[in-house]
């Protein structure tokens, strides 16, 4: 569309930005023109190119790491008796922000989704089962997303652990804190009623 | 916050993305994790680094260009009698999409904004006046944004051209097409009333 109007390098970067999730062509244009006005394109470009340099998966928990074993796994102040299973590394960031969890993690890197052709063998489930077998933790917390794919994945893992002595738990569902009861969706409100607690 | 949890290169790119306009920390995280899953970080990184390679401003209209004179300025099928003055190159892209404009452009690269310390000499106004003096076009269309800074800039240019024979026009204001009358703001509706046209 704008091939004659804008230099090729500008069109090129607009196109590349547009490929990113949640970035439409208008936003891509705005980002590129911002970069044209500043010096930031060098640092951003370098950082993007170097993104995967030396990045590997932790042997134990499969989180992204720069060493064979990640910082959380080798932290002696965190118990090995608790493993929190999440679908992606960003979920660890979210849980760590609560400051309340002192166990280890296991990153599945995805979820079971037959529609997208993603089966149990395509994500880090076998490594989780092997790890439970080997380290015999007390409890596994399944912290997959509370949606269809997340629940399917959790259910699959529960079934695989049927004959294991490990205790399997999941995150509580209910009204979000600071939320307004009238705006809660009926599924969440129903779950909050079912799981009501004694004062 | 997530310095122990995520590799440095990941945190680094999240930080760089967060510097961009309209990209918050959450969006930055999502973009970086998308890039981690794909091969796109190489092409995006290269494109970002090369963004400004060989980019200069057109001698005549000040739009970004890769040659001394840009494609629009050297196009013999576009008349020299009309110059449309815009504040940024993206505005040219928007006007070109209408397919209705066959004149040339002049890019101010900003607008007069005393609050931000941007005066007439900080943007491409003198080059516009010199160009009008030199090429003597019939008409100048001031297509700056319909907001305080845009109007101030347009007004300043009008004053500078008081003694020039050039005709100075501006874009029409009124109801946007496809818009709903009840949702129009009162300023726009007032302008649409003032500028009402005979059927």
């Amino acid at each position: 569309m704008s091939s004659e109007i804008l230099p090729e390098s500008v069109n090129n970067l607009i196109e590349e930005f547009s490929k990113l999730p949640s970035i439409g062509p208008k936003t891509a244009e705005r980002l590129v023109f911002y970069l044209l006005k500043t010096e930031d394109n060098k640092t951003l470009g370098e950082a993007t190119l170097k993104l995967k340099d030396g990045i590997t998966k932790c042997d134990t928990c499969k989180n992204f790491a720069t060493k064979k074993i990640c910082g959380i796994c080798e932290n002696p102040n965190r118990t090995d008796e608790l493993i929190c299973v999440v679908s992606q590394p960003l979920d660890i960031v979210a849980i760590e922000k609560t400051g309340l969890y002192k166990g280890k993690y296991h990153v599945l890197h995805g979820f079971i989704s037959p529609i997208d052709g993603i089966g149990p063998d395509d994500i880090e489930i076998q490594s989780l089962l092997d790890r439970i077998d080997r380290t015999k933790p007390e409890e596994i917390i399944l912290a997959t997303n509370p949606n269809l794919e997340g629940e399917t994945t959790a259910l699959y893992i529960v079934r695989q652990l049927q004959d294991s002595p490990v205790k399997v738990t999941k995150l509580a569902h209910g009204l979000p804190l600071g939320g307004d009861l009238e705006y809660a969706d009926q599924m969440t409100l129903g779950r909050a009623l079912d799981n009501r607690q004694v004062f």
Side-chain angles (χ1 to χ4, degrees), chain A residues 29 37 39 55 84 132 138 149 179 181 190-191:
Chain A
E29 283 178 356
K37 275 188 283 187
E39 290 301 310
I55 287 202
C84 180
I132 293 170
E138 263 174 30
E149 290 91 354
L181 200 128
R191 204 69 83 88

Side-chain angles (χ1 to χ4, degrees), chain A residues 12-82:
Chain A
N12 194 12
L13 189 56
I14 291 176
E15 200 178 302
E16 287 301 323
F17 268 127
S18 303
K19 289 181 189 166
L20 300 178
S22 82
I23 307 278
K26 281 271 167 199
T27 308
E29 283 178 356
R30 229 176 319 125
L31 294 178
V32 171
F33 277 86
Y34 169 83
L35 288 173
L36 275 169
K37 275 188 283 187
T38 65
E39 290 301 310
D40 291 357
N41 76 307
K42 292 290 172 202
T43 44
L44 177 64
E46 295 284 357
T48 309
L49 276 179
K50 286 183 187 153
L51 174 61
K52 295 183 192 169
D53 286 5
I55 287 202
T56 165
K57 282 184 188 171
C58 167
D59 269 4
T60 306
C61 75
K62 307 301 175 187
N63 189 8
F64 291 124
T66 44
K67 302 172 292 184
K68 252 177 98 70
I69 303 294
C70 77
I72 292 180
C73 280
E74 66 178 13
N75 184 339
N77 296 321
R78 305 186 71 120
T79 175
D80 281 317
E81 296 296 341
L82 260 175

